[in-house]
Amino acid sequence: MTATDIISIEKLLNHPKIETAIADINSETLDRRAFVPKICQIFSNKFISLEDQPKYRFTIDREAEKQLPDIAHNNVQKLIPGAPDNEAGQNYFFKKRNIAIVFSGGPAPGGHNVVSGIFDAAKKANPESRILGFILGPEGILENRYVEITAELVDTYRNMGGFTMIKTGRSKIDSKQKMTLSRETCLGLNLDALVIVGGDDSNTNAAFLAQALKADGIQVIGIPKTIDGDIQIHTEDGETLCAISFGFHSAARAFSQNISNLCTDASSDLKYWHVCKVMGRVASHLALEAALQTHVNLTLIGEELADYVDHERLKKAQKKGEVDYTAYGMTLRHLSRLICDAIVKRAENGKNYGVMIIPEGVLEFINEIQIFIIKLNTIIAHYNQIHDLDFHTTFHSLDSKLEYLRRLSRGITENQASPIWNARDDELFNDLPSFFQEGLLVERDTHGNFQFSQVNTEKIIMDMVGDYLHILKEKGEYKVGVEESRFNYFMERTNIDPELLGKTIFRNYREGRYYLVKKKIISVKTLKQALVNAGIITESDKVPDPVLAIFKKSVPNFKTQIHFYGYDGRGSNPTKFDCTYTYNLGLTAFSLIANGATGQMAVIKNLEHHFDTWEPLGVPIAKLMHLEERKGKLALVIEKNVVDISSNAFLILQAMREKWLAAEHGEDHYRKPGPVRFQGKSEENKPLTLVLNSINPISDRHSVPEK
Ligand code: FBP
């Protein structure tokens, strides 16, 4: 490189237009930072107080009452405008505070606005208040690692995605020792309050911390975060207090845009089935939302599969006076058959391509897999409890893990036969492909949860689908329909009688728009035999080229492209809905803190309705908890909300299934949700699932949709 080259590169890089073009901060970021979310009416008041709402009823789990006695009887609290009834109340609201925030679990778009909401409200109440952010999730609390959140830091991240500002982590405060460390940190920092922004497990943590720190006067408030959408709060009387956790809308919109692009691709070159695994550790909310947004051809919903009953099997058993328990729940084999049915139907109508959505957590709802997961969770947790080195460190390779299981089933290990893992389990487990065995044996996360994102769910299912399609092809049951016009086109290039040829090779000649080659014609050899038998050609003739061309068109070539939509959407920038939702959550959290609340989750009621009706509340976390199996033991945790298969959103998907499968002549019904943006009308202003579920078909008949 010469000196002139170096100078010209420098000049190039210093050129103002180039500097602007390649700057880290682009106009999108500047626009986002400048966006000011709307605030709920209540926050225009200088002083806000809380009002108990005993009308919202929950059944308290006995264990919650026992383990969380100081917060279990909290009521739902409504934020109301109010002059304080005494001066002390006012002084308390405006006092100087130290508030710390921690992100916990996977990132979700909108988290930074929770911080900015808390920051703005706290500084408005008292500019001397300090806001701290623990670094890298709960680990930051344990290790006393934090940053002071400044106005500059807040402004950098307003309306931006991710949890980049203070990072996040999955560590859990789940032992006495960790609780002690956390208390030391909070006391050392002289904290008034700690806000935990997390999912069900992290909010469970928040409740235990609230209980532990209550005597110290340190308040703990939870915020419902997770793209999975499985934190929803419904009262005992069916009233919705929180329709969805934050981050769900943004992630679902990001996934939907990408998936809809695949719909365009699939319907352009007609050669692939795009298989989209969509995040959601357990619940299929994201898959359902993406399906409603895009109208892909096939969507699996885990919750529906769990509910499946094979009535044929039940009837058969009933005739023998027996009950067949295996008729309840779907097997992997059956699931692969259902997918094949859809693929075959589309192919019959000339569409050997399509787009399908598989929820990440679908295996959780497959009976046989669920049993393996529970058994293996228990075995691993038990092993870790009684050994110094944990299961995964001791048994590195799949072979060594399998060997341990085998010994367990024979009763050599731990000196007695395992009551959980018997020879039958071992045999069934060994029948699974090794990558799937490996998947089922992956390390559990810090909460003891099975990590579905680490398992190639879609590969497991699609391998079975591929195998079965192959069988169907061999049996002549998987064919691509040949369009009548194509048949006529080729017939014009031969002097064979179309009627004779049509009846000879098709099973539905003249019966539809797409002709299906007869089942027994599965190769050129069997094709030739059929032509010879019909007297169209003789043994010594070759199959005429136009007939060969028709046959080739009928032979399916099943090709898939596999995609995983998860981390990308989780890291996307928040939609306007999530920006507004989270900013108001931050403001709510501060109001709860400034009124002395603890053990409460900040939520916004009426998210599914017009913004003007949004109502900030504090909901007692302890009342959302129940006992669940974790790491082989019963633990008090927040109950996850999975897809309700009697909800409007699910019923609509179910009703539209046939139409969106589009196994008929004509275009598919793909919908284009478009990119997430702040301007213009292209973006729905809330998740479709929420919109649909909020509609009462009888009373809302004449209501005008929100613009
Ligand atoms: P949270 O529940 O912590 O919000 O995380 C949700 C999620 O994104 C799931 O959808 C996914 O299964 C999981 O996190 C992936 O976890 P990890 O980030 O550890 O790979």
Side-chain angles (χ1 to χ4, degrees):
M1 197 180 269
T2 65
T4 20
D5 286 336
I6 294 166
I7 290 166
S8 66
I9 291 281
E10 271 176 10
K11 269 192 179 166
L12 202 60
L13 290 176
N14 290 334
H15 191 287
K17 276 193 182 165
I18 291 177
E19 271 183 344
T20 313
I22 64 165
D24 288 347
I25 310 299
N26 60 1
S27 58
E28 163 73 15
T29 300
L30 294 174
D31 283 354
R32 279 197 162 263
R33 285 177 178 170
F35 173 72
V36 181
K38 284 202 274 188
I39 58 170
C40 299
Q41 177 66 35
I42 181 76
F43 297 118
S44 46
N45 294 285
K46 188 167 172 234
F47 179 81
I48 293 161
S49 43
L50 302 179
E51 186 181 80
D52 273 1
Q53 303 285 303
K55 64 175 180 180
Y56 297 128
R57 297 183 311 137
F58 296 89
T59 315
I60 315 179
D61 193 291
R62 280 234 193 106
E63 204 52 34
E65 272 184 313
K66 213 162 99 193
Q67 296 187 33
L68 304 164
D70 298 331
I71 57 168
H73 293 283
N74 284 359
N75 271 314
V76 170
Q77 294 169 311
K78 181 179 169 179
L79 275 59
I80 53 163
D85 38 20
N86 57 52
E87 208 185 309
Q90 239 204 66
N91 290 342
Y92 185 78
F93 189 92
F94 294 111
K95 82 173 192 147
K96 178 185 164 200
R97 290 187 159 80
N98 292 330
I99 301 173
I101 303 168
V102 65
F103 289 140
S104 180
H112 290 132
N113 276 20
V114 175
V115 178
S116 49
I118 295 173
F119 182 91
D120 291 349
K123 291 284 185 186
K124 187 176 150 200
N126 189 326
E128 282 183 42
S129 284
R130 290 177 75 210
I131 313 297
L132 309 176
F134 283 115
I135 303 289
L136 268 176
E139 199 177 295
I141 307 180
L142 300 174
E143 296 177 359
N144 196 14
R145 280 184 70 202
Y146 64 93
V147 282
E148 171 138 9
I149 295 173
T150 59
E152 198 189 352
L153 198 58
V154 169
D155 289 344
T156 306
Y157 288 103
R158 282 185 198 272
N159 308 304
M160 301 300 292
F163 284 176
T164 324
M165 182 201 274
I166 50 173
K167 328 293 175 203
T168 185
R170 287 201 184 275
S171 26
K172 193 179 176 187
I173 302 167
D174 57 354
S175 66
K176 264 197 174 160
Q177 193 199 3
K178 289 184 189 170
M179 204 53 100
T180 310
L181 280 176
S182 307
R183 184 166 172 261
E184 276 170 15
T185 302
C186 295
L187 287 173
L189 291 171
N190 203 12
L191 288 191
D192 293 282
L194 172 64
V195 179
I196 298 187
V197 181
D200 51 343
D201 285 326
S202 312
N203 273 285
T204 295
N205 254 210
F208 281 101
L209 273 171
Q211 172 66 40
L213 300 178
K214 177 119 197 229
D216 298 312
I218 302 172
Q219 301 157 252
V220 182
I221 299 295
I223 302 278
K225 169 239 66 163
T226 175
I227 61 161
D228 291 4
D230 53 16
I231 301 195
Q232 298 174 8
I233 302 173
H234 309 284
T235 65
E236 201 175 290
D237 305 308
E239 189 141 6
T240 300
L241 302 189
C242 170
I244 204 82
S245 48
F246 83 75
F248 171 81
H249 186 227
S250 316
R253 290 285 281 104
F255 298 156
S256 303
Q257 196 207 336
N258 288 330
I259 293 171
S260 106
N261 292 345
L262 294 179
C263 294
T264 307
D265 182 80
S267 55
S268 299
D269 66 2
L270 318 184
K271 67 178 181 201
Y272 291 125
W273 262 94
H274 286 289
V275 179
C276 310
K277 178 168 85 167
V278 167
M279 241 189 201
R281 187 196 295 276
V282 176
S284 306
H285 297 295
L286 282 164
L288 175 59
E289 176 73 18
L292 294 165
Q293 292 272 356
T294 58
H295 303 181
V296 292
N297 307 107
L298 178 64
T299 303
L300 306 181
I301 298 294
E303 290 79 344
E304 180 187 21
L305 304 180
D307 223 48
Y308 177 80
V309 180
D310 189 337
H311 291 287
E312 287 296 307
R313 249 199 225 184
L314 271 188
K315 259 193 220 156
K316 260 191 208 164
Q318 257 166 16
K319 276 185 194 154
K320 292 189 223 156
E322 295 166 2
V323 181
D324 183 351
Y325 291 105
T326 62
Y328 296 98
M330 178 149 316
T331 61
L332 260 185
R333 186 180 296 267
H334 192 153
L335 176 61
S336 65
R337 303 293 189 266
L338 288 184
I339 298 175
C340 288
D341 278 355
I343 293 169
V344 168
K345 262 190 174 177
R346 270 179 71 84
E348 285 177 353
N349 288 280
K351 296 173 179 170
N352 196 32
Y353 66 90
V355 181
M356 77 174 85
I357 292 180
I358 297 183
E360 179 189 28
V362 72
L363 295 183
E364 173 101 18
F365 297 94
I366 307 283
N367 240 343
E368 59 194 315
I369 306 302
Q370 182 58 337
I371 292 169
F372 275 137
I373 291 174
I374 293 173
K375 287 187 173 208
L376 293 171
N377 276 356
T378 313
I379 290 168
I380 294 170
H382 181 242
Y383 186 94
N384 292 346
Q385 261 166 25
I386 58 173
H387 293 88
D388 289 339
L389 268 188
D390 75 76
F391 184 83
H392 295 282
T393 317
T394 313
F395 305 109
H396 275 299
S397 65
L398 176 63
D399 280 348
S400 60
K401 286 175 186 162
L402 292 178
E403 174 56 24
Y404 175 76
L405 289 175
R406 187 155 41 249
R407 283 193 286 144
L408 206 60
S409 71
R410 290 186 192 145
I412 304 169
T413 314
E414 320 309 346
N415 303 323
Q416 55 176 352
S418 164
I420 305 174
W421 198 256
N422 57 34
R424 175 83 185 127
D425 292 319
D426 207 53
E427 196 185 310
L428 285 175
F429 195 68
N430 277 296
D431 275 351
L432 298 174
S434 59
F435 74 88
F436 188 20
Q437 289 175 332
E438 214 147 0
L440 288 169
L441 282 163
V442 289
E443 206 160 339
R444 273 47 183 163
D445 77 0
T446 41
H447 302 277
N449 294 321
F450 181 71
Q451 302 192 71
F452 278 104
S453 58
Q454 309 294 315
V455 179
N456 286 335
T457 312
E458 67 289 7
K459 180 162 162 42
I460 294 159
I461 295 174
M462 293 318 291
D463 275 4
M464 292 182 81
V465 166
D467 288 350
Y468 191 55
L469 282 177
H470 184 71
I471 295 173
L472 292 178
K473 194 169 158 185
E474 296 285 292
K475 284 167 113 183
E477 288 174 20
Y478 175 29
K479 306 266 191 197
V480 179
V482 179
E483 201 175 359
E484 187 184 20
S485 59
R486 289 281 83 198
F487 175 69
N488 295 340
Y489 168 84
F490 285 111
M491 281 300 90
E492 281 164 17
R493 278 146 190 81
T494 151
N495 49 15
I496 301 173
D497 172 14
E499 291 299 309
L500 179 59
L501 183 72
K503 283 180 184 150
T504 303
I505 64 170
F506 296 125
R507 53 181 130 131
N508 61 344
Y509 183 61
R510 293 279 181 235
E511 278 172 24
R513 196 166 181 141
Y514 289 89
Y515 297 156
L516 292 171
V517 168
K518 284 182 178 163
K519 286 187 186 174
K520 59 180 189 220
I521 303 178
I522 52 165
S523 60
V524 178
K525 208 167 147 195
T526 45
L527 170 68
K528 180 171 175 183
Q529 202 50 56
L531 298 180
V532 171
N533 291 348
I536 296 172
I537 58 169
T538 65
E539 285 285 0
S540 56
D541 291 333
K542 269 175 51 188
V543 175
D545 283 347
V547 180
L548 206 55
I550 292 169
F551 174 70
K552 280 190 180 158
K553 287 210 169 294
S554 77
V555 179
N557 180 11
F558 180 64
K559 289 200 284 188
T560 56
Q561 291 292 342
I562 309 259
H563 314 264
F564 178 27
Y565 293 112
Y567 300 100
D568 51 343
R570 215 168 73 162
S572 70
N573 275 331
T575 55
K576 216 190 246 179
F577 171 82
D578 270 329
C579 287
T580 312
Y581 177 16
T582 46
Y583 189 69
N584 281 282
L585 278 177
L587 299 179
T588 308
F590 177 75
S591 287
L592 292 171
I593 293 168
N595 280 283
T598 190
Q600 301 289 82
M601 193 192 290
V603 304
I604 310 275
K605 186 171 179 277
N606 291 335
L607 285 175
E608 63 279 34
H609 299 296
H610 196 284
F611 175 79
D612 295 346
T613 68
W614 284 19
E615 193 182 315
L617 299 174
V619 172
I621 304 176
K623 287 185 173 165
L624 311 176
M625 296 168 94
H626 75 159
L627 285 176
E628 215 174 80
E629 186 275 339
R630 288 293 167 91
K631 297 188 181 176
K633 281 197 276 178
L634 280 179
L636 194 60
V637 291
I638 293 182
E639 192 170 4
K640 268 193 204 317
N641 273 267
V642 295
V643 170
D644 174 1
I645 57 168
S646 62
S647 65
N648 288 355
F650 176 77
L651 292 175
I652 288 165
L653 173 74
Q654 203 176 37
M656 298 310 285
R657 235 179 216 150
E658 185 112 0
K659 180 171 177 194
W660 294 348
L661 178 64
E664 61 192 3
H665 176 72
E667 290 299 323
D668 288 289
H669 299 279
Y670 301 139
R671 176 178 182 272
K672 304 250 128 239
V676 168
R677 19 180 161 129
F678 268 6
Q679 316 291 341
K681 282 188 177 174
S682 69
E683 190 194 333
E684 281 96 3
N685 61 4
K686 55 177 70 83
L688 276 181
T689 321
L690 259 59
V691 173
L692 300 176
N693 286 346
S694 70
I695 294 168
N696 178 334
I698 299 160
S699 61
D700 295 348
R701 184 140 284 285
H702 303 293
S703 65
V704 183
E706 193 188 333
K707 290 274 179 328

